[in-house]
Amino acid sequence: MLTHFHTIAFTHRNLDVSAIGKLHIEAENQQARFNPVKEQLHIDELLFLSTCNRVEFLLVGPQAASIDFLTTFFKQLYPDFTQDTIDFYVANASVVSNIEAIDHILRVASSIDSLVIGEREIITQVRHAYDDAHKNGFSGDFIRLLIKHVIQTAKRVYTETKISMKPVSVVSIAYQRLQGMD
């Protein structure tokens, strides 16, 4: 199953917040939007994570996240998007698979890959994304076990390290570095 695990991510690292916001799908619309995509693209499990500065799709399925796959995925999921908009998101998607995808979601939930490193809100957002996926019937055993492990690991990162003692934003780090250049 690990060879069928993929993450498609849009974060502060590859897009501005307004472009990320256009990918948000309200909870009440997710079943109608995701069920046809799951069926058409033979996706076994899916988790949709949407925060103020990230949208991620965790997918379990036999197809690799190729350009053709991504194009079909976005056409089906966002029927109002123009072809240019779809091409934009396909070109800017950060796609990781297999063990790298697991490493990625661990970094996300532990806030190591957050705009504000050390913030704790992301672990709750990951948990809520899983709850929604489970409630809507999008997830199965792989994502259930993965998220259980991810949450446990993120909790350990927060309690056994000093990462949450002084959350630091990327902007504040850049500012500190600029000040030191005088």
Side-chain angles (χ1 to χ4, degrees):
M1 195 64 90
L2 179 60
T3 59
H4 293 177
F5 181 55
H6 313 280
T7 299
I8 304 165
F10 299 93
T11 72
H12 62 281
R13 295 188 193 287
N14 60 346
L15 284 181
D16 64 48
V17 175
S18 64
I20 293 169
K22 292 176 184 172
L23 294 171
H24 177 74
I25 300 171
E26 293 294 332
E28 62 269 10
N29 298 326
Q30 289 179 14
Q31 259 197 329
R33 300 273 289 277
F34 284 115
N35 279 332
V37 173
K38 279 187 69 192
E39 187 175 316
Q40 181 181 357
L41 293 173
H42 309 287
I43 298 169
D44 298 323
E45 298 183 47
L46 181 143
L47 185 142
F48 175 65
L49 174 63
S50 181
T51 72
C52 63
N53 61 21
R54 99 175 34 250
V55 165
E56 300 204 9
F57 306 90
L58 282 65
L59 308 174
V60 177
Q63 296 188 25
S66 66
I67 290 175
D68 289 340
F69 176 90
L70 292 172
T71 301
T72 303
F73 181 80
F74 288 114
K75 274 184 184 178
Q76 182 78 27
L77 194 55
Y78 300 98
D80 296 338
F81 281 5
T82 65
Q83 187 60 49
D84 286 344
T85 303
I86 290 168
D87 291 343
F88 170 79
Y89 284 107
V90 168
N92 286 286
S94 174
V95 180
V96 290
S97 299
N98 311 325
I99 195 73
E100 290 85 8
I102 290 176
D103 180 61
H104 172 77
I105 192 62
L106 285 166
R107 293 174 62 79
V108 168
S110 300
S111 85
I112 295 167
D113 188 48
S114 290
L115 188 59
V116 179
I117 299 166
E119 60 89 11
R120 290 177 157 261
E121 187 176 351
I122 190 66
I123 194 171
T124 302
Q125 293 166 325
V126 169
R127 184 180 293 126
H128 285 161
Y130 170 74
D131 291 343
D132 289 344
H134 178 71
K135 178 182 73 176
N136 288 320
F138 302 153
S139 65
D141 286 341
F142 183 86
I143 287 181
R144 177 182 59 81
L145 293 171
L146 172 67
I147 296 302
K148 179 181 176 183
H149 175 73
V150 164
I151 298 296
Q152 288 172 344
T153 303
K155 285 180 180 179
R156 286 188 65 198
V157 168
Y158 291 121
T159 59
E160 295 178 17
T161 70
K162 294 183 180 187
I163 192 168
S164 64
M165 299 274 292
K166 190 175 178 186
V168 185
S169 71
V170 173
V171 173
S172 70
I173 292 169
Y175 180 73
Q176 290 170 6
R177 287 204 175 153
L178 283 173
Q179 279 189 320
M181 295 178 73
D182 291 341

mmCIF file of all heavy atoms in Angstrom, residues 72-103:
data_model
loop_
_atom_site.group_PDB
_atom_site.id
_atom_site.type_symbol
_atom_site.label_atom_id
_atom_site.label_comp_id
_atom_site.label_asym_id
_atom_site.label_seq_id
_atom_site.Cartn_x
_atom_site.Cartn_y
_atom_site.Cartn_z
ATOM 1 N N THR A 72 -6.574 15.498 -14.890
ATOM 2 C CA THR A 72 -7.911 14.901 -14.751
ATOM 3 C C THR A 72 -8.462 15.141 -13.356
ATOM 4 O O THR A 72 -9.647 15.476 -13.190
ATOM 5 C CB THR A 72 -7.854 13.386 -15.053
ATOM 6 O OG1 THR A 72 -7.317 13.203 -16.354
ATOM 7 C CG2 THR A 72 -9.230 12.753 -14.968
ATOM 8 N N PHE A 73 -7.625 14.992 -12.350
ATOM 9 C CA PHE A 73 -8.022 15.210 -10.951
ATOM 10 C C PHE A 73 -8.592 16.613 -10.775
ATOM 11 O O PHE A 73 -9.688 16.797 -10.250
ATOM 12 C CB PHE A 73 -6.804 14.984 -10.048
ATOM 13 C CG PHE A 73 -7.056 15.140 -8.577
ATOM 14 C CD1 PHE A 73 -7.638 14.113 -7.844
ATOM 15 C CD2 PHE A 73 -6.689 16.300 -7.915
ATOM 16 C CE1 PHE A 73 -7.855 14.238 -6.480
ATOM 17 C CE2 PHE A 73 -6.898 16.441 -6.546
ATOM 18 C CZ PHE A 73 -7.486 15.411 -5.828
ATOM 19 N N PHE A 74 -7.861 17.633 -11.239
ATOM 20 C CA PHE A 74 -8.312 19.018 -11.055
ATOM 21 C C PHE A 74 -9.500 19.367 -11.951
ATOM 22 O O PHE A 74 -10.372 20.126 -11.536
ATOM 23 C CB PHE A 74 -7.152 19.994 -11.232
ATOM 24 C CG PHE A 74 -6.188 19.942 -10.096
ATOM 25 C CD1 PHE A 74 -4.896 19.484 -10.287
ATOM 26 C CD2 PHE A 74 -6.571 20.308 -8.813
ATOM 27 C CE1 PHE A 74 -4.012 19.402 -9.218
ATOM 28 C CE2 PHE A 74 -5.690 20.222 -7.755
ATOM 29 C CZ PHE A 74 -4.412 19.769 -7.960
ATOM 30 N N LYS A 75 -9.560 18.819 -13.156
ATOM 31 C CA LYS A 75 -10.723 19.063 -14.032
ATOM 32 C C LYS A 75 -11.994 18.542 -13.381
ATOM 33 O O LYS A 75 -13.034 19.192 -13.414
ATOM 34 C CB LYS A 75 -10.537 18.363 -15.388
ATOM 35 C CG LYS A 75 -9.785 19.169 -16.390
ATOM 36 C CD LYS A 75 -9.751 18.437 -17.720
ATOM 37 C CE LYS A 75 -8.904 19.200 -18.707
ATOM 38 N NZ LYS A 75 -8.799 18.506 -19.987
ATOM 39 N N GLN A 76 -11.908 17.351 -12.813
ATOM 40 C CA GLN A 76 -13.077 16.730 -12.195
ATOM 41 C C GLN A 76 -13.443 17.431 -10.887
ATOM 42 O O GLN A 76 -14.615 17.687 -10.618
ATOM 43 C CB GLN A 76 -12.781 15.247 -11.924
ATOM 44 C CG GLN A 76 -13.927 14.474 -11.327
ATOM 45 C CD GLN A 76 -14.966 14.091 -12.355
ATOM 46 O OE1 GLN A 76 -14.673 13.940 -13.522
ATOM 47 N NE2 GLN A 76 -16.198 13.932 -11.910
ATOM 48 N N LEU A 77 -12.457 17.750 -10.087
ATOM 49 C CA LEU A 77 -12.700 18.308 -8.763
ATOM 50 C C LEU A 77 -13.117 19.777 -8.807
ATOM 51 O O LEU A 77 -13.898 20.235 -7.978
ATOM 52 C CB LEU A 77 -11.443 18.144 -7.899
ATOM 53 C CG LEU A 77 -11.580 18.356 -6.405
ATOM 54 C CD1 LEU A 77 -12.659 17.464 -5.801
ATOM 55 C CD2 LEU A 77 -10.245 18.097 -5.730
ATOM 56 N N TYR A 78 -12.601 20.506 -9.774
ATOM 57 C CA TYR A 78 -12.893 21.941 -9.895
ATOM 58 C C TYR A 78 -13.446 22.231 -11.298
ATOM 59 O O TYR A 78 -12.750 22.792 -12.151
ATOM 60 C CB TYR A 78 -11.621 22.763 -9.632
ATOM 61 C CG TYR A 78 -11.045 22.538 -8.259
ATOM 62 C CD1 TYR A 78 -9.990 21.651 -8.061
ATOM 63 C CD2 TYR A 78 -11.559 23.217 -7.152
ATOM 64 C CE1 TYR A 78 -9.460 21.437 -6.786
ATOM 65 C CE2 TYR A 78 -11.037 23.005 -5.881
ATOM 66 C CZ TYR A 78 -9.989 22.114 -5.714
ATOM 67 O OH TYR A 78 -9.476 21.908 -4.455
ATOM 68 N N PRO A 79 -14.699 21.855 -11.547
ATOM 69 C CA PRO A 79 -15.253 21.983 -12.908
ATOM 70 C C PRO A 79 -15.347 23.426 -13.414
ATOM 71 O O PRO A 79 -15.414 23.642 -14.619
ATOM 72 C CB PRO A 79 -16.638 21.342 -12.784
ATOM 73 C CG PRO A 79 -16.958 21.347 -11.338
ATOM 74 C CD PRO A 79 -15.652 21.302 -10.606
ATOM 75 N N ASP A 80 -15.319 24.400 -12.524
ATOM 76 C CA ASP A 80 -15.395 25.805 -12.946
ATOM 77 C C ASP A 80 -14.041 26.377 -13.358
ATOM 78 O O ASP A 80 -13.978 27.488 -13.893
ATOM 79 C CB ASP A 80 -15.986 26.674 -11.820
ATOM 80 C CG ASP A 80 -17.425 26.298 -11.498
ATOM 81 O OD1 ASP A 80 -18.098 25.697 -12.364
ATOM 82 O OD2 ASP A 80 -17.880 26.605 -10.389
ATOM 83 N N PHE A 81 -12.966 25.646 -13.115
ATOM 84 C CA PHE A 81 -11.633 26.138 -13.479
ATOM 85 C C PHE A 81 -11.449 26.092 -15.001
ATOM 86 O O PHE A 81 -11.857 25.125 -15.653
ATOM 87 C CB PHE A 81 -10.533 25.287 -12.841
ATOM 88 C CG PHE A 81 -10.252 25.576 -11.395
ATOM 89 C CD1 PHE A 81 -10.999 26.475 -10.648
ATOM 90 C CD2 PHE A 81 -9.199 24.929 -10.758
ATOM 91 C CE1 PHE A 81 -10.715 26.730 -9.317
ATOM 92 C CE2 PHE A 81 -8.903 25.181 -9.425
ATOM 93 C CZ PHE A 81 -9.669 26.085 -8.701
ATOM 94 N N THR A 82 -10.799 27.112 -15.537
ATOM 95 C CA THR A 82 -10.431 27.104 -16.949
ATOM 96 C C THR A 82 -9.246 26.161 -17.132
ATOM 97 O O THR A 82 -8.579 25.784 -16.162
ATOM 98 C CB THR A 82 -10.016 28.511 -17.425
ATOM 99 O OG1 THR A 82 -8.815 28.890 -16.729
ATOM 100 C CG2 THR A 82 -11.126 29.538 -17.178
ATOM 101 N N GLN A 83 -8.957 25.836 -18.387
ATOM 102 C CA GLN A 83 -7.796 24.976 -18.645
ATOM 103 C C GLN A 83 -6.508 25.656 -18.200
ATOM 104 O O GLN A 83 -5.608 25.005 -17.670
ATOM 105 C CB GLN A 83 -7.716 24.588 -20.123
ATOM 106 C CG GLN A 83 -6.637 23.571 -20.423
ATOM 107 C CD GLN A 83 -6.841 22.264 -19.669
ATOM 108 O OE1 GLN A 83 -7.926 21.698 -19.676
ATOM 109 N NE2 GLN A 83 -5.799 21.775 -19.001
ATOM 110 N N ASP A 84 -6.413 26.972 -18.368
ATOM 111 C CA ASP A 84 -5.222 27.703 -17.910
ATOM 112 C C ASP A 84 -5.060 27.598 -16.397
ATOM 113 O O ASP A 84 -3.945 27.444 -15.895
ATOM 114 C CB ASP A 84 -5.288 29.181 -18.322
ATOM 115 C CG ASP A 84 -5.023 29.386 -19.799
ATOM 116 O OD1 ASP A 84 -4.491 28.460 -20.457
ATOM 117 O OD2 ASP A 84 -5.350 30.481 -20.305
ATOM 118 N N THR A 85 -6.159 27.690 -15.663
ATOM 119 C CA THR A 85 -6.111 27.585 -14.204
ATOM 120 C C THR A 85 -5.687 26.181 -13.794
ATOM 121 O O THR A 85 -4.847 26.015 -12.901
ATOM 122 C CB THR A 85 -7.469 27.957 -13.580
ATOM 123 O OG1 THR A 85 -7.812 29.279 -13.995
ATOM 124 C CG2 THR A 85 -7.432 27.879 -12.074
ATOM 125 N N ILE A 86 -6.242 25.182 -14.456
ATOM 126 C CA ILE A 86 -5.864 23.794 -14.170
ATOM 127 C C ILE A 86 -4.376 23.596 -14.447
ATOM 128 O O ILE A 86 -3.655 23.019 -13.624
ATOM 129 C CB ILE A 86 -6.727 22.806 -14.987
ATOM 130 C CG1 ILE A 86 -8.159 22.835 -14.451
ATOM 131 C CG2 ILE A 86 -6.146 21.397 -14.949
ATOM 132 C CD1 ILE A 86 -9.173 22.142 -15.324
ATOM 133 N N ASP A 87 -3.915 24.101 -15.579
ATOM 134 C CA ASP A 87 -2.493 23.977 -15.921
ATOM 135 C C ASP A 87 -1.613 24.665 -14.876
ATOM 136 O O ASP A 87 -0.543 24.158 -14.524
ATOM 137 C CB ASP A 87 -2.219 24.576 -17.303
ATOM 138 C CG ASP A 87 -2.839 23.769 -18.433
ATOM 139 O OD1 ASP A 87 -3.211 22.591 -18.208
ATOM 140 O OD2 ASP A 87 -2.965 24.325 -19.544
ATOM 141 N N PHE A 88 -2.074 25.815 -14.364
ATOM 142 C CA PHE A 88 -1.336 26.535 -13.327
ATOM 143 C C PHE A 88 -1.175 25.669 -12.076
ATOM 144 O O PHE A 88 -0.073 25.540 -11.530
ATOM 145 C CB PHE A 88 -2.068 27.841 -12.982
ATOM 146 C CG PHE A 88 -1.531 28.532 -11.765
ATOM 147 C CD1 PHE A 88 -0.372 29.292 -11.832
ATOM 148 C CD2 PHE A 88 -2.183 28.424 -10.533
ATOM 149 C CE1 PHE A 88 0.129 29.936 -10.708
ATOM 150 C CE2 PHE A 88 -1.689 29.061 -9.407
ATOM 151 C CZ PHE A 88 -0.530 29.814 -9.489
ATOM 152 N N TYR A 89 -2.274 25.066 -11.622
ATOM 153 C CA TYR A 89 -2.196 24.244 -10.410
ATOM 154 C C TYR A 89 -1.407 22.964 -10.635
ATOM 155 O O TYR A 89 -0.652 22.534 -9.760
ATOM 156 C CB TYR A 89 -3.592 23.956 -9.853
ATOM 157 C CG TYR A 89 -4.174 25.159 -9.154
ATOM 158 C CD1 TYR A 89 -5.203 25.896 -9.717
ATOM 159 C CD2 TYR A 89 -3.654 25.581 -7.940
ATOM 160 C CE1 TYR A 89 -5.720 27.016 -9.080
ATOM 161 C CE2 TYR A 89 -4.158 26.706 -7.289
ATOM 162 C CZ TYR A 89 -5.188 27.415 -7.868
ATOM 163 O OH TYR A 89 -5.675 28.522 -7.230
ATOM 164 N N VAL A 90 -1.531 22.360 -11.800
ATOM 165 C CA VAL A 90 -0.738 21.166 -12.105
ATOM 166 C C VAL A 90 0.747 21.511 -12.074
ATOM 167 O O VAL A 90 1.556 20.791 -11.491
ATOM 168 C CB VAL A 90 -1.149 20.556 -13.461
ATOM 169 C CG1 VAL A 90 -0.149 19.496 -13.927
ATOM 170 C CG2 VAL A 90 -2.556 19.961 -13.380
ATOM 171 N N ALA A 91 1.108 22.641 -12.666
ATOM 172 C CA ALA A 91 2.514 23.051 -12.719
ATOM 173 C C ALA A 91 3.069 23.413 -11.344
ATOM 174 O O ALA A 91 4.274 23.266 -11.105
ATOM 175 C CB ALA A 91 2.674 24.242 -13.670
ATOM 176 N N ASN A 92 2.209 23.863 -10.436
ATOM 177 C CA ASN A 92 2.669 24.315 -9.125
ATOM 178 C C ASN A 92 2.439 23.307 -8.006
ATOM 179 O O ASN A 92 2.748 23.595 -6.846
ATOM 180 C CB ASN A 92 2.005 25.644 -8.771
ATOM 181 C CG ASN A 92 2.602 26.777 -9.559
ATOM 182 O OD1 ASN A 92 3.714 27.208 -9.292
ATOM 183 N ND2 ASN A 92 1.879 27.237 -10.573
ATOM 184 N N ALA A 93 1.930 22.144 -8.343
ATOM 185 C CA ALA A 93 1.691 21.116 -7.328
ATOM 186 C C ALA A 93 3.011 20.523 -6.853
ATOM 187 O O ALA A 93 3.913 20.262 -7.649
ATOM 188 C CB ALA A 93 0.809 20.007 -7.898
ATOM 189 N N SER A 94 3.107 20.337 -5.565
ATOM 190 C CA SER A 94 4.238 19.624 -4.989
ATOM 191 C C SER A 94 3.751 18.203 -4.721
ATOM 192 O O SER A 94 2.884 17.993 -3.864
ATOM 193 C CB SER A 94 4.676 20.304 -3.690
ATOM 194 O OG SER A 94 5.673 19.547 -3.061
ATOM 195 N N VAL A 95 4.261 17.253 -5.474
ATOM 196 C CA VAL A 95 3.789 15.867 -5.387
ATOM 197 C C VAL A 95 4.901 15.002 -4.814
ATOM 198 O O VAL A 95 6.028 15.023 -5.303
ATOM 199 C CB VAL A 95 3.366 15.333 -6.774
ATOM 200 C CG1 VAL A 95 2.873 13.897 -6.668
ATOM 201 C CG2 VAL A 95 2.302 16.228 -7.398
ATOM 202 N N VAL A 96 4.566 14.276 -3.750
ATOM 203 C CA VAL A 96 5.497 13.315 -3.168
ATOM 204 C C VAL A 96 4.776 11.990 -2.997
ATOM 205 O O VAL A 96 3.563 11.960 -2.802
ATOM 206 C CB VAL A 96 6.109 13.795 -1.831
ATOM 207 C CG1 VAL A 96 7.074 14.941 -2.055
ATOM 208 C CG2 VAL A 96 5.035 14.208 -0.847
ATOM 209 N N SER A 97 5.521 10.918 -3.085
ATOM 210 C CA SER A 97 4.932 9.582 -3.023
ATOM 211 C C SER A 97 5.707 8.694 -2.069
ATOM 212 O O SER A 97 6.842 8.990 -1.700
ATOM 213 C CB SER A 97 4.930 8.950 -4.419
ATOM 214 O OG SER A 97 4.161 9.714 -5.312
ATOM 215 N N ASN A 98 5.039 7.609 -1.688
ATOM 216 C CA ASN A 98 5.640 6.552 -0.885
ATOM 217 C C ASN A 98 6.147 7.071 0.465
ATOM 218 O O ASN A 98 5.451 7.824 1.127
ATOM 219 C CB ASN A 98 6.749 5.850 -1.681
ATOM 220 C CG ASN A 98 6.289 5.465 -3.074
ATOM 221 O OD1 ASN A 98 5.131 5.105 -3.267
ATOM 222 N ND2 ASN A 98 7.172 5.557 -4.037
ATOM 223 N N ILE A 99 7.349 6.702 0.856
ATOM 224 C CA ILE A 99 7.881 7.084 2.169
ATOM 225 C C ILE A 99 8.063 8.596 2.275
ATOM 226 O O ILE A 99 7.902 9.173 3.347
ATOM 227 C CB ILE A 99 9.179 6.311 2.507
ATOM 228 C CG1 ILE A 99 9.516 6.423 3.999
ATOM 229 C CG2 ILE A 99 10.339 6.786 1.653
ATOM 230 C CD1 ILE A 99 8.618 5.625 4.888
ATOM 231 N N GLU A 100 8.352 9.256 1.151
ATOM 232 C CA GLU A 100 8.499 10.712 1.164
ATOM 233 C C GLU A 100 7.173 11.386 1.511
ATOM 234 O O GLU A 100 7.145 12.426 2.171
ATOM 235 C CB GLU A 100 9.036 11.235 -0.171
ATOM 236 C CG GLU A 100 10.473 10.868 -0.440
ATOM 237 C CD GLU A 100 10.630 9.484 -1.084
ATOM 238 O OE1 GLU A 100 9.616 8.845 -1.462
ATOM 239 O OE2 GLU A 100 11.780 9.023 -1.190
ATOM 240 N N ALA A 101 6.065 10.800 1.079
ATOM 241 C CA ALA A 101 4.738 11.347 1.405
ATOM 242 C C ALA A 101 4.444 11.185 2.894
ATOM 243 O O ALA A 101 3.840 12.066 3.516
ATOM 244 C CB ALA A 101 3.660 10.671 0.561
ATOM 245 N N ILE A 102 4.882 10.085 3.472
ATOM 246 C CA ILE A 102 4.704 9.888 4.915
ATOM 247 C C ILE A 102 5.569 10.885 5.683
ATOM 248 O O ILE A 102 5.105 11.527 6.629
ATOM 249 C CB ILE A 102 5.020 8.431 5.313
ATOM 250 C CG1 ILE A 102 3.919 7.523 4.758
ATOM 251 C CG2 ILE A 102 5.140 8.295 6.833
ATOM 252 C CD1 ILE A 102 4.120 6.060 4.974
ATOM 253 N N ASP A 103 6.807 11.040 5.268
ATOM 254 C CA ASP A 103 7.687 12.031 5.893
ATOM 255 C C ASP A 103 7.060 13.423 5.806
ATOM 256 O O ASP A 103 7.087 14.183 6.772
ATOM 257 C CB ASP A 103 9.067 12.013 5.214
ATOM 258 C CG ASP A 103 10.013 13.016 5.830
ATOM 259 O OD1 ASP A 103 10.310 12.888 7.041
ATOM 260 O OD2 ASP A 103 10.459 13.934 5.107
#
